Amino acid sequence: MSAARSSPTPAPSYKDVPTRAVSVRGVDFVYRQLGPEGGVPLILLHHLTAVLDNWDPRVIDGLAARRRVIAFDNRGVGASGGSTPDTIEAMARDAVLFIQALGFEQVDRLGLSMGGFIAQVIAAEEPQLVRRVVLAGTGPAAGPGIDKVTALTLRAVLKGFLTRKDPKQFLFFTDTEHGRREARAFLERLNERTDHRDKAIALTSFRAQLKAIHRWGLQPPADLSRIRQPVLVANGESDRMVPSENTLDLAARLPRGELIPLYPDAGHGGIFQFHDTFVARALAFLEAQPDA
């Protein structure tokens, strides 16, 4: 009599993976990791106010099907220790220290919104550390409209309070029937993790991030020619937070920039709204041969 075959163990999902911590110069940085071991890891850099639980599990799980993916809370954010810096450059230095603390010599990066600002600084300042970059819903220093993020965000927070809705519904998605439906689906996905959730961002960290973004919007225009790595750029066609013209500008000015056509009827959260097509395109880009 033959033995019964055991069912294969399902791959872990982002909503289930444990939260770990690593000491970065005496400060604990929390992170979550999933996907196959080996190869160049993909490090994620998140948006304003975001903690580990704000990554769309469909994006993370899709990427982690073929890549080791690591999401983390930078200094002072969520359950990570320390105080949040009020400049993008300082946030970039902390992110580099986190990567070094994990022992990686080279990484790929996915930066969303503010995380895209940080990713640009790291790619320019630490070129040996970064192999490929994906930038979503972001823009260069001094990009049009970036200095207005603070006012826009505070209005959305107030509107969310008055309507008892998550501000991301107003900031990340279009105000169309389709956009509102996608917003609801996204917010439901963010609640799929029920155990050991991350801490919400503290008000002091929120203020520091707003100040950093405002400074990024007002500082001298970026010299994007310094970023020599291949860069894939994505966004919705109607981004209110970091206007979509910044996405087109990045793709045009980056020496090895590559544009995903702007997602229709989508805004700042375009990669979440179009998670299936985004994941497929991002994996193809990350897995391309060096001479491709």
Side-chain angles (χ1 to χ4, degrees):
M1 184 176 179
S2 61
R5 294 183 179 180
S6 59
S7 300
T9 302
S13 171
Y14 186 65
K15 67 182 178 65
D16 300 317
V17 295
T19 302
R20 310 179 185 185
V22 63
S23 178
V24 179
R25 295 187 176 180
V27 175
D28 282 347
F29 280 41
V30 299
Y31 69 99
R32 293 178 189 153
Q33 173 179 295
L34 71 165
E37 297 288 336
V40 178
L42 175 62
I43 309 294
L44 309 185
L45 295 162
H46 221 336
H47 62 78
L48 170 70
T49 76
V51 297
L52 291 173
D53 294 320
N54 292 120
W55 280 111
D56 190 332
R58 297 301 179 275
V59 170
I60 306 298
D61 291 348
L63 293 170
R66 302 214 303 255
R67 296 294 304 273
R68 174 162 49 171
V69 177
I70 299 173
F72 77 106
D73 286 342
N74 214 334
R75 187 181 300 272
V77 175
S80 287
S83 300
T84 301
D86 60 7
T87 69
I88 297 299
E89 291 75 15
M91 294 177 187
R93 288 192 293 271
D94 285 336
V96 170
L97 291 174
F98 168 76
I99 294 168
Q100 293 172 340
L102 291 181
F104 298 126
E105 296 182 355
Q106 191 177 53
V107 299
D108 292 334
R109 313 226 59 153
L110 164 57
L112 172 62
S113 190
M114 183 184 72
F117 306 158
I118 298 169
Q120 291 173 60
V121 173
I122 297 173
E125 299 294 337
E126 303 285 344
Q128 78 289 343
L129 184 64
V130 181
R131 190 187 69 116
R132 285 176 174 259
V133 183
V134 181
L135 298 176
T138 193
I146 295 176
D147 61 329
K148 307 295 192 300
V149 168
T150 295
L152 187 67
T153 300
L154 293 178
R155 286 197 298 269
V157 169
L158 177 60
K159 184 177 180 180
F161 175 77
L162 295 174
T163 60
R164 298 183 180 181
K165 294 181 179 179
D166 192 308
K168 287 188 285 294
Q169 178 170 333
F170 313 120
L171 293 171
F172 279 40
F173 297 87
T174 56
D175 189 22
T176 65
E177 181 179 353
H178 177 254
R180 291 189 291 272
R181 184 171 62 249
E182 291 293 333
R184 290 191 295 271
F186 167 68
L187 294 172
E188 288 176 2
R189 295 196 297 273
L190 294 190
N191 289 320
E192 288 178 353
R193 186 183 182 100
T194 56
D195 296 326
H196 306 292
R197 289 180 64 85
D198 199 0
K199 292 173 58 177
I201 192 168
L203 181 58
T204 53
S205 294
F206 178 42
R207 289 172 175 166
Q209 289 182 346
L210 286 175
K211 184 178 292 186
I213 292 171
H214 191 68
R215 286 175 168 170
W216 180 260
L218 293 178
Q219 67 189 55
D223 179 10
L224 298 180
S225 68
R226 298 175 60 202
I227 300 176
R228 308 301 302 182
Q229 300 92 334
V231 182
L232 182 67
V233 187
N235 203 358
E237 65 181 7
S238 302
D239 189 339
R240 297 177 61 237
M241 290 199 73
V242 182
S244 303
E245 61 188 287
N246 288 286
T247 303
L248 302 177
D249 184 39
L250 282 172
R253 291 169 54 203
L254 287 163
R256 301 178 70 184
E258 185 176 338
L259 176 69
I260 297 177
L262 298 179
Y263 297 119
D265 195 10
H268 198 59
I271 67 168
F272 300 147
Q273 184 171 330
F274 287 84
H275 50 83
D276 287 336
T277 54
F278 168 74
V279 165
R281 185 65 187 84
L283 285 172
F285 168 78
L286 293 169
E287 295 170 352
Q289 296 301 311
D291 57 351

